[in-house]
Amino acid sequence: MELPRRARGDELLKSGELTRLRERLRKIAPNHDLATVIANAFDHRTRILPFIFADTRMAPAGVRAVGSALVDAGFDKTRIVLQQWNRNFRPSQMRLDGKVPDMFMVSSMSLHSEECMKLIGDAHRIDPAHRPLIIAGGPHAVYEPYALFSVNRARPNSADIVVTGEEFVTLSLIEVLLSVRGRGESMRSAFVRARDSGALDDVPGLVYSRGDANGVPEELIDTGMQRLVGDLDELPHPVLGYRLLEPPSRHATLSAHALSADEVEDRSPISSLVLTFGCKFNCPYCPIPAYNQRQYRVKSGERIAEEMWRLNKEYGIEHFFGADDNFFNDKTRTLDIVNKLACAEFEGVRLSDRACWYTEVTVHDTLQMKEHLPLIHQSGCRALWLGVEDVTATLVKKGQSADKTTEAFRALRDAGICPMPMMMHHDTQPLYSHGSNYGLLNQVELLRRAGAVSMQILMLTPAVGSKMLESSYASGQVFKSVGGKLVPPHICDGNYVVASSHKRPWQKQLTILAGYLYFYNPVWLIVAIIRQRTPVFRTPAYVQIIGMMGLVMTIARTSTWAVRLMFGKIERRTHPPVSQIPMRGIDGGAASHDTSAAPVQIQSPLLRRPAPPREIVVR
Ligand code: B12
Ligand code: SF4
C-alpha cells in the first residue's frame, strides 16, 4: 500500500510556516536546558556492493537534519551518534554534560531496524525515573511506525513516540511538549501529559501509544499524514548538524566533545545534501512519489550554492551527493539551479573550483537535458546515477530503450560526467539472451560499451510503501524463511533474493553476482587504465578498484544465501507486515499508516512475462 495523500491542496505547509515555528522555538529555548542524543541505526552486515564505502563515508543527512533543526531552534546540547562509526554505543550509558539526556532520538532505514530496536531496548535499561523521552524517526518510521512499538510483555521496549514526517513535525512535537512542560519536569512526563490531554493530536505526522502501566502498548494513535515543506529554502542550514557528530570510537559511552570541524572532512568526505524531493514518474515498485504526496519540492540555486560554500569553508568538504529522487525532474527548475551553481562565486573564488556534486536522475530526463550537459558539468557535476532498471523497458517503461540509454550515456561521458547505471534484475530476465538485449549480461555489456563507470544490480524486491507490495505477498513471492531461517530485515535491500517466483531462486542470486563479476574485474581495470584519455579521466579505473574490493565482500555474504536458497526449504508469506497493535486515527477512524486493510489491486511486475510492457505515464 502506498502512503496516503492529504486532501488536494493541503499537502504543503503554508509558505513561511516552518520559518515561523523555528522563530517561536528560539524564543522559548533559553527556558529549557534540553539535552538530546540522536542515534543513527546501522547494521554492519549490510556492508556490500553497491553502497559499500558510501555508507560509512557519508554522515547521513537525516540525523544531521534533525540535529541542525534542534541547534537552529536554540537547543545546542545535542549529539549525533552514528552506529557506522560507534558500533559499541549503548544508550543506557550515554551522558551529555554529565547527565542523562532529556530526549533519545533514533533514526533508521528498514534494513537497519534490528539495530534500531536494540538501541531502543538498551535505552529502556535506564531507570524509569531518569529515562529520556524516546523518539523514533527516519524512513523505517515513515513507512512502518507500528514496528517501533513492542508487543512483547517480557521486553516492552517501545519508542514513546514515532515521527512519520520531517523537520516541521519534529519541531512541532517539541513545541507542544515544551508548552506543557513544568519547571524541572522531565520530557517524558511532559509527553505523557500532552498525550493524555490530546495536545499531540493537532500535529499531523505522529504515532504514539496508549497502554498499561508496564508500557506495553494497547493501541496506537496515528495523527495522520504530515504536511510537507514546499520551499526547501525554509529548512535549517545543514552546516549546523556537522558540529554535533560523535567522534568514531569503540566505547559504549559518549566522548566529552563532538568531532572537531577539521576532522569532519576526513571522516565524512562526502556530504549528502537535500536539493530537491520528488519524482514525476510512478514506478510500481517505488514508494517515493507517494511519500512526497506527488509534490516536487526544490531548494533555490542560491541557497544550494551557499550551503556548499559554507560546508566547504567550515569543514573542507568538496564532494556533495544530492538526496534527490530525480534531480532532472523539472527542466526549468534544474536549469535555474545549475546556472546559479555554475556562476556562483564567494570571496573571489568560483564555487565549482571547490565543490563537485553527484546525484540521481533518469535516462528520459537526461536526454531532455542533453544540450545543457556541458553547463551541468561546469556547475560541478561529475557523476550521475541513472535508474535504468531494465534497458529493454520490459520491467518498467519510463522512457528508456537501448538506443536512448546509449545516447544518454555517451552524451554524459562527452560532457565529462560519469554515467552510473542502476539496474534491476527480475524473475523473467535470463543471465544471457541470444540475439537480444534482454539478458542481464547483454545489458551490462551494452551499458559498459555506452560508457558506464560503475554498476548497480539489485533484485526487484517489494518495498514497503510501494504499489506492488500487497500483490507480491498475495501471490506468494515473498519468502518467510529459507532452510528454517527467517528472512531478517538486513538482507531486504535488493542484494539478496528474498522474493521470487522463479523455480530456482538461487540462480537469480548467482546471476546478480555474475553481472557484477562481468563488470568489475581485472580485465576492465586494465582497459580503464589504458584508456585514461577520456573526458572522465581516471575515474573508471578508481571505480573498478573499489568495485572489485566491494565484490569480494558481496560474494562472501550473498553466496552463502545462494547455497541456502539451493538446498533449503522456502516458506512464503501471503500478507505484508501489519501492525500487531490496533491502530486508529485521532477521530477513531482508520489510521493513515495502518496497512492491515490494504486492498490487493496491482498486478506485480515480478509476475509479468516479458511482453507486453506496462507503460508508466510521464506527467
Ligand atoms: C542518499 C541515499 C542513500 C545513500 C545513503 C548515504 C548516507 N550515509 O547518507 C546510499 C546510496 C548509501 C543509500 C543506500 C541505500 N538506500 Co538509500 N536513500 C538515499 C536517499 C536518496 C536520500 C537520503 C537522504 O539523505 N535524505 C534526506 C534526509 C534529510 O531525509 P531523511 O533521511 O528521510 O530524514 C528526514 C525524516 O525522515 C526525519 N528523520 C530522519 N531521522 C529521524 C530521526 C528522528 C528521531 C526524527 C524525529 C525524525 C527523523 O527528519 C529528516 C529531515 O526531514 C533516500 C530517498 C530520499 N529522497 O530520502 C534513499 C532511501 C533512504 N534509501 C533507501 C534504501 C532502501 C536504500 C538501500 C537499501 C538500497 C536500495 N535498495 O535502494 C541502501 C542501504 C545501504 C545501507 N547499508 O544502509 C530507502 C529506505 C526505505 C526504508 N523503508 O528504509 C529510501 C527512503 C529510498 C526509498 N526507496 O524510498 N541510500
Ligand atoms: S523514476 Fe525512480 S524515483 Fe521516480 S518513481 Fe521511478 S524508481 Fe521512483
Side-chain angles (χ1 to χ4, degrees):
M1 187 182 90
E2 288 190 307
L3 288 175
R5 178 177 179 171
R6 292 187 67 87
R8 300 283 156 125
D10 189 33
E11 300 94 341
L12 299 177
L13 295 168
K14 290 195 182 72
S15 172
E17 219 172 331
L18 176 56
T19 310
R20 288 192 290 277
L21 171 60
R22 290 164 54 196
E23 284 164 5
R24 286 200 301 276
L25 279 168
R26 263 178 235 144
K27 288 195 188 122
I28 56 170
N31 307 332
H32 299 271
D33 181 31
L34 279 192
T36 307
V37 170
I38 312 166
N40 189 76
F42 186 84
D43 192 322
H44 282 258
R45 293 171 295 178
T46 62
R47 302 214 55 219
I48 54 176
L49 277 182
F51 310 108
I52 193 161
F53 308 119
D55 50 6
T56 54
R57 307 277 287 161
M58 181 154 57
V63 278
R64 287 193 288 107
V66 177
S68 297
L70 288 175
V71 173
D72 172 85
F75 307 109
D76 291 325
K77 220 179 269 179
T78 302
R79 185 71 57 84
I80 297 172
V81 189
L82 308 179
Q83 267 194 323
Q84 284 93 323
W85 300 350
N86 306 73
R87 56 167 99 193
N88 298 331
F89 166 66
R90 297 285 171 272
S92 56
Q93 297 184 40
M94 64 191 168
R95 299 286 180 276
L96 214 49
D97 271 8
K99 68 167 193 170
V100 177
D102 303 283
M103 295 193 284
F104 174 59
M105 298 191 168
V106 57
S107 175
S108 181
M109 285 194 212
S110 299
L111 81 164
H112 302 300
S113 57
E114 280 176 292
E115 289 301 322
C116 174
M117 291 317 282
K118 280 191 210 157
L119 288 170
I120 293 177
D122 192 68
H124 273 268
R125 295 178 61 201
I126 302 170
D127 171 6
H130 304 288
R131 193 195 306 149
L133 177 68
I134 302 174
I135 307 176
H140 187 45
V142 164
Y143 294 105
E144 299 171 86
Y146 47 82
L148 291 143
F149 297 91
S150 162
V151 283
N152 185 345
R153 271 192 182 269
R155 285 189 301 148
N157 297 335
S158 299
D160 291 308
I161 186 156
V162 172
V163 170
T164 62
E166 301 175 356
E167 286 91 339
F168 186 80
V169 182
T170 308
L171 293 180
S172 301
L173 166 66
I174 293 173
E175 185 180 42
V176 171
L177 298 183
L178 295 185
S179 71
V180 301
R181 187 188 192 211
R183 191 172 258 275
E185 186 183 12
S186 78
M187 284 298 271
R188 212 154 67 87
S189 155
F191 158 73
V192 171
R193 286 197 302 110
R195 180 192 68 183
D196 294 347
S197 69
L200 298 176
D201 297 356
D202 297 333
V203 181
L206 300 175
V207 174
Y208 63 84
S209 67
R210 290 184 190 279
D212 65 20
N214 295 328
V216 178
E218 281 163 9
E219 70 168 346
L220 299 180
I221 319 296
D222 184 340
T223 66
M225 298 309 297
Q226 66 172 327
R227 283 190 190 87
L228 301 156
V229 59
D231 176 2
L232 300 180
D233 284 6
E234 283 194 48
L235 292 173
H237 205 293
V239 84
L240 304 172
Y242 278 106
R243 290 182 204 151
L244 312 173
L245 295 172
E246 170 72 9
S249 91
R250 295 186 179 178
H251 303 300
T253 52
L254 297 178
S255 52
H257 303 285
L259 195 70
S260 66
D262 51 7
E263 289 171 303
V264 167
E265 195 266 339
D266 196 33
R267 298 293 178 180
S268 178
I270 312 165
S271 172
S272 47
L273 217 52
V274 169
L275 314 179
T276 71
F277 278 130
C279 174
K280 64 183 170 241
F281 291 92
N282 210 0
C283 304
Y285 48 78
C286 177
I288 287 169
Y291 167 79
N292 286 288
Q293 302 186 39
R294 317 280 159 190
Q295 306 298 307
Y296 183 59
R297 306 177 281 151
V298 293
K299 254 183 203 161
S300 66
E302 288 90 344
R303 168 72 183 247
I304 296 169
E306 193 271 343
E307 286 185 3
M308 287 183 180
W309 172 255
R310 269 186 75 187
L311 288 165
N312 174 270
K313 195 173 168 189
E314 293 199 23
Y315 307 109
I317 299 174
E318 293 172 354
H319 302 274
F320 298 92
F321 187 81
D324 306 284
D325 304 310
N326 177 11
F327 181 70
F328 290 167
N329 195 58
D330 179 315
K331 192 171 177 179
T332 316
R333 291 172 131 181
T334 308
L335 282 175
D336 183 54
I337 294 174
V338 293
N339 267 310
K340 299 280 167 22
L341 291 180
C343 346
E345 243 186 60
F346 297 88
E347 298 169 20
V349 180
R350 287 179 77 89
L351 177 68
S352 53
D353 291 340
R354 292 273 178 93
C356 313
W357 59 272
Y358 322 86
T359 190
E360 292 188 22
V361 295
T362 58
V363 171
H364 173 272
D365 293 320
T366 301
L367 288 174
Q368 306 297 307
M369 300 297 291
K370 197 173 163 192
E371 66 191 286
H372 304 289
L373 292 177
L375 169 73
I376 293 167
H377 177 265
Q378 204 189 321
S379 74
C381 178
R382 294 292 175 270
L384 289 172
W385 273 257
L386 297 102
V388 173
E389 329 299 10
D390 169 17
V391 171
T392 60
T394 305
L395 179 67
V396 63
K397 196 170 173 70
K398 48 184 184 183
Q400 83 277 38
S401 67
D403 288 347
K404 284 185 181 170
T405 307
T406 306
E407 186 187 344
F409 276 41
R410 296 237 161 99
L412 286 169
R413 281 281 289 233
D414 290 347
I417 300 171
C418 298
M420 318 294 252
M422 301 187 287
M423 308 276 293
M424 208 171 259
H425 182 50
H426 52 101
D427 272 356
T428 57
Q429 185 180 42
L431 173 66
Y432 177 78
S433 61
H434 192 69
S436 80
N437 283 324
Y438 194 48
L440 181 68
L441 292 188
N442 308 64
Q443 300 203 4
V444 172
E445 174 60 11
L446 186 138
L447 294 172
R448 194 194 62 75
R449 280 175 190 268
V453 170
S454 71
M455 184 57 60
Q456 169 177 320
I457 309 167
L458 295 181
M459 183 73 192
L460 175 59
T461 308
V464 181
S466 68
K467 276 195 218 123
M468 68 176 240
L469 186 78
E470 281 76 25
S471 57
S472 308
Y473 276 86
S475 58
Q477 294 158 71
V478 182
F479 303 165
K480 180 182 179 193
S481 66
V482 181
K485 183 184 158 133
L486 278 179
V487 174
H490 77 269
I491 69 167
C492 299
D493 63 349
N495 285 300
Y496 297 79
V497 178
V498 295
S500 169
S501 298
H502 198 274
K503 270 191 242 152
R504 289 177 288 275
W506 55 270
Q507 277 186 0
K508 298 278 104 193
Q509 193 69 63
L510 295 182
T511 301
I512 294 173
L513 281 183
Y516 276 129
L517 272 166
Y518 188 85
F519 190 85
Y520 292 119
N521 59 59
V523 176
W524 296 129
L525 170 64
I526 292 166
V527 171
I529 291 171
I530 295 169
R531 290 195 199 143
Q532 276 182 32
R533 291 194 185 185
T534 68
V536 294
F537 306 106
R538 292 185 189 138
T539 314
Y542 286 137
V543 176
Q544 277 290 333
I545 294 169
I546 291 170
M548 282 192 279
M549 283 159 57
L551 189 49
V552 174
M553 300 268 277
T554 308
I555 293 172
R557 288 200 202 273
T558 62
S559 55
T560 52
W561 185 249
V563 173
R564 190 169 271 276
L565 289 172
M566 202 180 289
F567 298 110
K569 180 170 179 268
I570 297 178
E571 281 191 74
R572 293 162 190 272
R573 291 191 189 273
T574 49
H575 298 289
V578 290
S579 177
Q580 302 294 305
I581 308 162
M583 288 183 89
R584 66 167 174 87
I586 46 171
D587 55 359
S592 303
H593 294 84
D594 185 3
T595 49
S596 59
V600 177
Q601 305 163 328
I602 305 287
Q603 165 78 48
S604 162
L606 277 167
L607 287 173
R608 278 205 302 275
R609 306 308 302 171
R614 179 166 179 267
E615 184 89 34
I616 300 298
V617 181
V618 181
R619 278 188 286 130

